[in-house]
Amino acid sequence: GAAPGAAKSPKVSPRVGPDASAPAPPPPAINHTPITEKRLLAFLEKIEESCSPASLAGMHLPALPTLPPAPTASLYIQSRLERVWDALLMPLPMRLDMVLLYTHRDRAGHLETAIKAWEAAAVAVVAREDALLALSSLQSAVEEARVGHLSVSAVERQCVELLQLSALVEQHATSLREDFGFSLTFDGLPYPSEETGVGKQQVVAFMEWLRDAPHLKLLS
């Protein structure tokens, strides 16, 4: 046995802290996404401002295709109607209904005003369909990992433009229905419909979806 009074071996205390010889764990990753809650709130404010009546009135939209010269006024009117019908993909029965409606003697004097209203509506619908297709194509490209980075500002502009065009289409649809007795359609269906409708909630959800895409690098 140990001699009385001999020094005892110190007890080994259980290790409490990290092993100084082991490498320190890396700090947790910080998501530096530019799509923050603050930015989303500012985005919503931008939408409200951009979709005001004054902003919509100042929008510049592309014109319908130019028509060739017509030998008579009646043929020119017919060409304008056909241009609207083609832009809206209007089926033949609806075209005939429109002709019967606007050539009735009670409405014949309003034909020019009605055609102008339809032309403005067709321009807005075509522009909205183009904007909707652009965002849909972008979504598909992200889903299929065909894009690796995106400008958030550019996507925000696309979303705002789509909502502006949607509001403009709603205005034209109301005018055609209340002032000219006809419903706005596209490809034979009421327009915009529940399936094609896009609002603030949808575009905010789209931005959040982009933020959470694992492979996507977002630039301000």
Side-chain angles (χ1 to χ4, degrees):
K8 297 182 179 178
S9 300
K11 291 183 178 180
V12 179
S13 301
R15 185 177 291 114
V16 177
D19 186 352
S21 63
I30 300 176
N31 186 7
H32 292 289
T33 174
I35 305 180
T36 60
E37 292 302 319
K38 182 178 179 180
R39 181 157 185 166
L40 287 176
L41 289 175
F43 178 48
L44 285 171
E45 292 178 1
K46 177 66 175 177
I47 290 172
E48 293 291 341
E49 176 186 341
S50 301
C51 293
S52 67
S55 296
L56 296 180
M59 290 187 69
H60 297 285
L61 301 180
L64 292 172
T66 303
L67 293 173
T72 65
S74 60
L75 286 176
Y76 181 61
I77 288 176
Q78 180 180 338
S79 297
R80 290 172 66 190
L81 282 172
E82 289 175 348
R83 181 174 60 178
V84 167
W85 295 337
D86 291 342
L88 296 177
L89 306 179
M90 190 176 291
L92 181 59
M94 288 185 176
R95 300 183 184 202
L96 295 177
D97 288 343
M98 186 183 292
V99 170
L100 292 174
L101 177 66
Y102 294 132
T103 55
H104 192 276
R105 63 176 179 270
D106 294 338
R107 293 180 178 266
H110 303 290
L111 179 59
E112 175 65 22
T113 306
I115 292 178
K116 286 183 177 179
W118 275 101
E119 287 172 334
V123 166
V125 169
V126 171
R128 183 182 183 275
E129 283 295 301
D130 289 344
L132 196 58
L133 178 61
L135 277 179
S136 178
S137 299
L138 174 60
Q139 179 177 346
S140 297
V142 172
E143 288 174 340
E144 298 166 10
R146 288 186 280 111
V147 293
H149 62 274
L150 281 177
S151 164
V152 175
S153 296
V155 178
E156 286 176 337
R157 286 193 295 271
Q158 284 183 274
C159 291
V160 168
E161 180 188 28
L162 176 58
L163 292 180
Q164 284 181 308
L165 291 168
S166 297
L168 198 59
V169 165
E170 289 284 2
Q171 286 185 358
H172 288 303
T174 300
S175 174
L176 290 173
R177 182 176 60 253
E178 295 181 355
D179 300 334
F180 301 101
F182 216 89
S183 296
L184 179 61
T185 63
F186 182 71
D187 200 12
L189 299 174
Y191 193 88
S193 64
E194 290 186 6
E195 290 76 14
T196 61
V198 178
K200 291 183 293 185
Q201 291 181 340
Q202 285 91 339
V203 296
V204 169
F206 180 68
M207 299 300 291
E208 291 174 334
W209 176 77
L210 289 177
R211 178 190 62 193
D212 298 335
H215 67 280
L216 195 61
K217 181 179 181 181
L218 296 173
L219 311 174
S220 294

